[in-house]
Amino acid sequence: YQRRVRGTKTIFILNALSNFLMTGIIVIVQNVDKASLLVDNKDQWIDIGKGLVLLLCFLKGATLEAASKAVNSILSSSVYYDETGKKTSILNLGGDILIVPQASIGGKIKGKAIQYHNLINKEEGEKLYSDMVALFQKNFEDHKIKGKVLHGVYGNRQGLKFESSGPNTHYFAVSYTHLTLPTKRI
């Protein structure tokens, strides 16, 4: 992006903007009729009924504050359907949640390769994942939501199977990063 300001050329470095947009937490929300997750990559499956599968990715800049905002948004947003097909929230209707760590959704294409430079480090990601799972569990208890919260293991490769009544997938990106764009005068 370039613009003229009083005869001088100011160049906004788009890479900084791109990195800003790739901070925080990415959540993919999938409505399911049922889902199963292979948590040990051998034979240990966990199963949910009607509810939501959440694919979570933590990028640099992810915070507990952003995780809390994401949990509240997912639970209160009308991303869930009742038996009549009307949109509602899982807070209102109840249902299960299966939380799956999914670092690959934080990749960025560069040429023919996918790079994962913006992922949070493993220790911080594992802590945030554990905290976010606990936030979902606490909200289910506090709001007396009928259903269960199950989760995968952070850092493990896991198999996922689900059945859905239709392609109903939502993308959330949550960030608390503030950005000042660098400029260069020519």
Side-chain angles (χ1 to χ4, degrees), residues 35-39 44-47 98-100 151-152 158-160:
S36 300
L37 183 68
L38 179 63
V39 292
Q44 183 184 356
W45 290 88
I46 56 175
D47 303 300
L98 177 58
I99 306 169
V100 183
H151 60 89
Q158 298 160 93
L160 174 66

Side-chain angles (χ1 to χ4, degrees), residues 31 50-52 78-81 86-90 93-95:
N31 283 281
K50 186 169 176 54
L52 302 173
S78 296
V79 296
Y80 195 59
Y81 288 94
K86 182 181 174 190
K87 279 188 170 183
T88 187
S89 73
I90 203 162
L93 190 60

Side-chain angles (χ1 to χ4, degrees), residues 98-112:
L98 177 58
I99 306 169
V100 183
Q102 188 69 41
S104 66
I105 60 178
K108 189 175 176 182
I109 295 176
K110 186 167 184 180
K112 293 182 181 181

